[in-house]
Amino acid sequence: MALLYDLGQLPNELLLIWHTHRVALLLSAVALVTVVRLAIYLRGQREKVSVSPAPASPVEKKLVELRPEWLPENTTLNVSNLNLDDHAEEDAIAVATIVKAKKGPKTVKGKKISKKIATPAPSFDHKTDKIQPLVFFQSLSGTTERFAAQFAKVLTEWTTGCEQSASFLEPQTFDLSYTEFDDYFLSPPKAEPNVKHFYFILLPTYNIDTVLSIFLESLQETHNDFRIDTAPLSGLLGYSVFGFGDKEGWPTEEDGFCSQAREVDRWMARLTGRKRAYPLGMGDVKADADARLQEWRTGVQEALVEIAEGRGLGEGVRGSGDAAESDEEDIDDAEDSNGQTTRVDDVEDLGSMVTSSSTAIPVDFTTYKSAPKSKSTTGPKEMVPTTSPTYASLTKQGYSIIGSHSGVKICRWTKSALRGRGSCYKYSFYGIQSHLCMEATPSLSCSNKCVFCWRHGTNPVGTTWRWITDAPDLIFDGITAAHYKKIKMMKGVPGVRAERFAEAMRIRHCALSLVGEPIFYPHINELLEIMHKSRISTFLVCNAQHPAQLAALVPVTQLYVSIDASNKESLRKIDRPLHRDFWERFCACLDILRNRRFEQRTVFRLTLVKGFNMAEEVAGYADLVERALPCFVEVKGVTYCGTSAAGSAGLTMQNVPFYEEVAEFVTHLEKELASRGLTYGIGAEHAHSCCVLLADRTRFQRDGRWATRIDFERFFDLYEGKAQGTRMENGAVVGWRPEDYVGGETPEWALWGNGGFDPRDQRVYRKGKGPKTEDGGGGGEQAGKKVDAAALEF
Ligand SMILES: Cc1cc2nc3c(=O)[nH]c(=O)nc-3n(C[C@H](O)[C@H](O)[C@H](O)COP(=O)(O)O)c2cc1C
Ligand code: SF4
């Protein structure tokens, strides 16, 4: 009973205890929860620490798959197969070290480089230091070049005659078309420690794609590259920009007057940490350019005196103490006016960004000289508008521009063949009669700036296709019509043979090369299909910079890759590619060529330029041949076009090899290939074009005799399915092989040692030149003749 009574009292007892000790109880509960939470937190911290490797402990290495944007769909780049450092130096490091982490959301850790530039101005000790003035210019139609030369001359006179002359080194001038941007705009140039640089930049403005756009992209790219200081040029003493524009077409800055010079000035301010030594100068080429330039020069000279006397850039400019300059450069350029980030990580986006960041410039090429145009430009531009210097230059030299990005021209060999005076080397080697051949390109733009290309400065360049695109059938109709028109114009030329003239009215072959990069055109496959359906054979030359397009190309009659150098450094110097990963692209193209060598005739085209890519490079070229195993290797001496562009690229007649030198080079290459067990032999020559052919003996010899010619009709039959090919896969026929359309034997007169001139043609010697041997052939030719740029042949 007593027990029942005690239990009945329990709730009351508990209530009493709660009322008496509730504060203590609540405090104890809070303390307990805190201790438990703390314990969980500390445990978590310990786990994180233990995930990190102990100092110097081995970390797991993982192979990181490189997947550049140019790789074809569903393809991965096997770095070990690419042998990227076969002949080269510091190539891509494909193995990155990665600390194995727990699965979970990927966190990217990085340190944002402060936009505020801390780098102080380089101090200038006027007793020991020297100022090296560098004058950079860019010119498409020569105006800025003339002004720059004049400016450099007066500046030189001033630096040698002024009171501070001991502080100055002789000014140097650079054409930006031929300047490696990375050598001057990624950091100040390398020099003795007491030599400090000052940049003068003189530029025109073009509201179309030109090399200038590439320069702007490169400045922007450098500034935005998160691996580089945002002001990598702060080591310069200073800079100043002068722009040339045309107020007739672009009356005000709003309309785009000198817009590119203004942009360059702004990027330079950012890259130098605001070292603008003198304000941007601008001149109207049709009015006051001369006076404005003199004014600007006097101003910059005064700034140079200040520097030379140790006073830096003067008041109000960063580096001199008072960073009071205030304009848009102070604003964090990572944000545009809408507050949206404009930082780019994809280099390919830069083109459009540069355009969009500039003052919106109207592009109405039909009204170039008319009233100011409205401001907005949307959508792509024409690659070669009729008002562009490129258009003027190309048409002047006999090119017909089709649409806005294709070109056609009859080469001198077509004219020569019409007159019965001989065809080009393609006749000797492959049986192509020059009067049946059309030379064209669907892309006048290119991603290289090769030193031997005569069009520099004026040719459109770009790494991606971003122009208005013409349809392939329109291009085909346009180029064939223009070709026939030009042939017809030959009707009255003395010596043209009637039968050849009649034959020429049916195009049989197309050399897709001319200038520019044909596979850059997005519908190249459709264009090729149209040609093949019209029974026109296709010889396509590409510059080994577009592996994705190369891999996706339909088989052509003969596929060429230009091999302008045997190693990375030499390729960089001679082709001056726009792609930073040019060597990887080049190597990938070689591997694609190797894979496709049983589908179509593949050719290496070597253009030898003395002093650039000949000496000591035989082994390097042999490496490349070994890698791609092309069916043929054509070795050709460069043709000197004698333009100022070639001159600025450092090319002179001394760079044009003699035929004997080309022949000697080929003999060495043949030996080198043989020493590696490769089965190449010298198949044919055409001394007149300074060209020699190496071919794979196992594939293009019949009973020990060379058979380098092509059976074109058989190629079309194979293409149309009228004849069956012999390319097999898993026991089934999957297509044709180059061996299926090998033509007749290489004629005797074309074989090595016989000169390569068809005896049925009439040989015409240039004034003062005569036959070296009785038969008129045999290695006596001199390639080193200055020819008109229009005489360049594929
Ligand atoms: C197609 C074309 C576009 C041009 N665009 C501009 C422009 O947007 N703004 C400007 O001020 N001048 C423009 N100009 C004028 C040139 O900048 C001017 O003629 C300059 O002197 C050319 O210099 P260069 O001969 O050194 O190439 C353009 C000229 C051409 C032919
Ligand atoms: S690849 Fe041809 S067109 Fe392009 S830059 Fe070189 S030489 Fe000129």
Side-chain angles (χ1 to χ4, degrees):
M1 265 319 273
L3 184 63
L4 281 175
Y5 174 77
D6 283 350
L7 282 174
Q9 286 301 310
L10 190 57
N12 292 341
E13 289 288 321
L14 286 174
L15 205 62
L16 194 66
I17 292 168
W18 169 249
H19 284 305
T20 318
H21 302 288
R22 66 183 169 202
V23 176
L25 280 171
L26 281 172
L27 283 175
S28 309
V30 169
L32 190 66
V33 169
T34 310
V35 167
V36 169
R37 298 284 308 254
L38 195 67
I40 291 168
Y41 172 72
L42 288 176
R43 204 184 148 93
Q45 286 297 91
R46 276 207 312 278
E47 270 173 7
K48 272 188 198 153
V49 169
S50 64
V51 170
S52 308
S57 67
V59 288
E60 187 185 330
K61 280 188 177 179
K62 254 196 178 177
L63 194 66
V64 175
E65 193 183 81
L66 287 181
R67 200 173 189 305
E69 117 291 332
W70 40 261
L71 269 192
E73 278 297 304
N74 308 322
T75 314
T76 49
L77 183 66
N78 188 336
V79 180
S80 57
N81 283 352
L82 268 182
N83 284 334
L84 294 179
D85 26 44
D86 262 357
H87 335 283
E89 309 69 32
E90 13 56 63
D91 280 314
I93 299 164
V95 178
T97 54
I98 291 179
V99 178
K100 197 176 182 183
K102 280 189 168 184
K103 272 193 180 162
K106 193 173 155 194
T107 316
V108 179
K109 288 186 182 172
K111 201 173 161 201
K112 188 172 185 278
I113 295 168
S114 167
K115 289 274 165 191
K116 294 290 164 207
I117 300 111
T119 330
S123 54
F124 184 83
D125 182 341
H126 61 289
K127 291 191 200 84
T128 52
D129 290 352
K130 302 276 178 210
I131 302 170
Q132 173 66 73
L134 301 183
V135 181
F136 296 93
F137 74 90
Q138 167 82 66
S139 187
L140 274 75
S141 58
T143 315
T144 315
E145 184 168 11
R146 275 196 303 280
F147 277 117
Q150 229 175 61
F151 170 80
K153 189 166 167 272
V154 181
L155 183 73
T156 308
E157 283 162 11
W158 177 78
T159 52
T160 43
C162 69
E163 273 179 39
Q164 301 74 16
S165 60
S167 293
F168 289 102
L169 296 175
E170 191 179 332
Q172 291 172 15
T173 307
F174 297 88
D175 182 343
L176 283 170
S177 295
Y178 301 97
T179 305
E180 221 29 85
F181 298 151
D182 287 1
D183 292 348
Y184 296 92
F185 295 93
L186 207 52
S187 57
K190 289 187 185 71
E192 297 293 315
N194 69 328
V195 173
K196 311 275 161 71
H197 296 85
F198 187 98
Y199 284 10
F200 298 88
I201 306 175
L202 285 76
L203 302 162
T205 285
Y206 283 89
N207 60 359
I208 52 171
D209 279 317
T210 67
V211 246
L212 205 47
S213 334
I214 302 291
F215 178 52
L216 269 163
E217 283 169 22
S218 131
L219 296 183
Q220 182 171 3
E221 186 185 340
T222 305
H223 179 71
N224 285 321
D225 192 331
F226 64 90
R227 293 160 300 184
I228 310 171
D229 179 4
T230 48
L233 296 179
S234 53
L236 295 182
L237 286 171
Y239 80 93
S240 192
V241 177
F242 190 92
F244 295 92
D246 181 354
K247 284 203 170 161
E248 216 172 276
W250 296 268
T252 65
E253 289 184 29
E254 266 223 306
D255 298 311
F257 178 65
C258 289
S259 61
Q260 285 183 311
R262 282 183 281 129
E263 276 203 63
V264 168
D265 180 47
R266 275 203 290 274
W267 284 117
M268 284 301 293
R270 288 165 180 163
L271 290 170
T272 56
R274 283 178 292 156
K275 292 276 180 62
R276 185 185 293 112
Y278 194 74
L280 166 78
M282 285 186 274
D284 176 359
V285 283
K286 297 213 177 111
D288 60 0
D290 215 358
R292 295 282 90 80
L293 183 65
Q294 301 318 322
E295 229 170 63
W296 176 77
R297 183 180 49 75
T298 319
V300 191
Q301 281 172 196
E302 277 166 20
L304 284 173
V305 170
E306 298 270 309
I307 296 171
E309 292 183 348
R311 292 193 294 277
L313 289 178
E315 298 253 310
V317 181
R318 182 185 290 280
S320 62
D322 182 12
E325 193 181 63
S326 140
D327 67 1
E328 64 270 55
E329 287 138 23
D330 280 335
I331 300 161
D332 186 350
D333 46 75
E335 296 218 336
D336 66 14
S337 52
N338 302 323
Q340 283 168 344
T341 179
T342 54
R343 192 174 177 102
V344 270
D345 296 312
D346 184 354
V347 177
E348 304 291 8
D349 291 342
L350 287 167
S352 55
M353 285 203 52
V354 167
T355 316
S356 62
S357 68
S358 60
T359 322
I361 302 166
V363 194
D364 175 0
F365 298 102
T366 54
T367 55
Y368 164 32
K369 285 195 173 144
S370 68
K373 302 112 199 171
S374 68
K375 266 185 81 187
S376 65
T377 313
T378 48
K381 300 172 187 174
E382 292 185 306
M383 182 195 285
V384 182
T386 47
T387 50
S388 65
T390 310
Y391 188 93
S393 160
L394 288 170
T395 46
K396 196 169 145 200
Q397 296 186 57
Y399 289 82
S400 299
I401 311 297
I402 310 303
S404 61
H405 54 74
S406 307
V408 64
K409 174 178 175 290
I410 57 169
C411 77
R412 71 176 173 117
W413 289 109
T414 299
K415 294 178 197 163
S416 160
L418 278 169
R419 300 165 84 190
R421 292 181 172 191
S423 286
C424 79
Y425 73 91
K426 277 182 275 158
Y427 180 57
S428 315
F429 298 176
Y430 313 118
I432 287 184
Q433 291 176 273
S434 296
H435 65 292
L436 309 182
C437 181
M438 168 176 72
E439 196 177 20
T441 183
S443 168
L444 289 160
S445 169
C446 186
S447 53
N448 283 351
K449 300 188 286 166
C450 308
V451 291
F452 47 75
C453 182
W454 58 273
R455 297 180 314 127
H456 283 316
T458 60
N459 61 328
V461 286
T463 52
T464 50
W465 184 273
R466 54 178 183 232
W467 298 279
I468 290 170
T469 308
D470 300 324
D473 50 343
L474 291 183
I475 295 177
F476 180 75
D477 292 348
I479 54 179
T480 48
H483 179 83
Y484 288 134
K485 192 171 162 200
K486 291 201 183 252
I487 296 281
K488 279 185 199 152
M489 283 160 66
M490 292 289 294
K491 197 163 47 181
V493 172
V496 168
R497 297 187 184 174
E499 80 284 2
R500 294 208 175 177
F501 181 78
E503 285 167 4
M505 293 313 289
R506 157 90 174 84
I507 300 165
R508 303 288 174 132
H509 314 284
C510 179
L512 282 152
S513 56
L514 199 62
V515 286
E517 177 60 18
I519 65 173
F520 212 11
Y521 171 54
H523 306 300
I524 182 69
N525 280 343
E526 290 91 322
L527 182 63
L528 290 167
E529 304 264 358
I530 297 173
M531 290 193 177
H532 292 156
K533 279 190 186 137
S534 312
R535 293 211 148 209
I536 294 175
S537 75
T538 50
F539 273 40
L540 186 143
V541 188
C542 65
N543 67 6
Q545 286 299 297
H546 303 278
Q549 288 87 337
L550 186 62
L553 198 71
V554 295
V556 291
T557 317
Q558 192 150 290
L559 177 61
Y560 283 75
V561 169
S562 297
I563 305 291
D564 296 336
S566 71
N567 59 61
K568 185 175 177 180
E569 199 36 45
S570 184
L571 191 70
R572 192 177 65 78
K573 280 200 191 119
I574 198 154
D575 276 5
R576 301 178 317 148
L578 297 181
H579 288 289
R580 291 215 164 160
D581 58 347
F582 67 94
W583 184 249
E584 288 75 12
R585 287 169 174 271
F586 182 80
C587 292
C589 284
L590 297 193
D591 295 341
I592 291 164
L593 209 68
R594 184 190 179 104
N595 288 337
R596 305 196 67 181
R597 72 191 192 279
F598 293 119
E599 274 177 22
Q600 59 202 315
R601 295 164 67 108
T602 55
V603 188
F604 264 18
R605 155 66 81 82
L606 270 59
T607 303
L608 300 183
V609 188
K610 219 154 80 177
F612 275 90
N613 63 2
M614 279 182 84
E616 322 274 319
E617 291 206 25
V618 168
Y621 286 117
D623 289 343
L624 302 181
V625 173
E626 194 170 5
R627 180 176 188 145
L629 297 176
C631 301
F632 303 97
V633 181
E634 277 177 12
V635 185
K636 196 170 184 304
V638 70
T639 315
Y640 182 62
C641 61
T643 61
S644 67
S648 342
L651 272 198
T652 67
M653 286 292 288
Q654 312 311 317
N655 299 108
V656 180
F658 284 87
Y659 186 59
E660 289 87 340
E661 292 168 310
V662 174
E664 192 188 337
F665 176 94
V666 176
T667 319
H668 284 144
L669 183 58
E670 185 195 25
K671 264 199 204 120
E672 180 67 34
L673 294 171
S675 74
R676 299 168 183 222
L678 299 175
T679 50
Y680 290 86
I682 306 179
E685 69 173 328
H686 191 247
H688 210 65
S689 319
C690 204
C691 190
V692 183
L693 180 73
L694 283 155
D696 185 337
R697 237 184 277 115
T698 57
R699 303 183 68 185
F700 301 96
Q701 270 192 350
R702 274 194 222 118
D703 306 325
R705 296 185 62 82
W706 283 111
T708 55
R709 292 197 150 196
I710 298 174
D711 184 341
F712 294 103
E713 291 312 310
R714 178 122 176 117
F715 172 78
F716 297 123
D717 287 346
L718 289 161
Y719 187 85
E720 289 166 8
K722 290 183 185 153
Q724 207 189 22
T726 58
R727 188 154 51 85
M728 314 280 287
E729 259 171 39
N730 305 324
V733 174
V734 290
W736 65 82
R737 298 183 306 141
E739 286 81 347
D740 294 332
Y741 57 100
V742 170
E745 273 179 14
T746 316
E748 195 64 24
W749 50 263
L751 296 176
W752 178 233
N754 295 341
F757 192 81
D758 185 350
R760 289 166 301 179
D761 279 319
Q762 174 201 355
R763 186 137 200 200
V764 178
Y765 291 95
R766 285 165 196 256
K767 228 176 175 180
K769 308 269 173 213
K772 286 251 167 179
T773 58
E774 282 293 311
D775 62 7
E781 291 287 338
Q782 181 195 2
K785 299 177 209 110
K786 185 179 168 197
V787 293
D788 184 341
L792 283 174
E793 96 281 359
F794 156 58

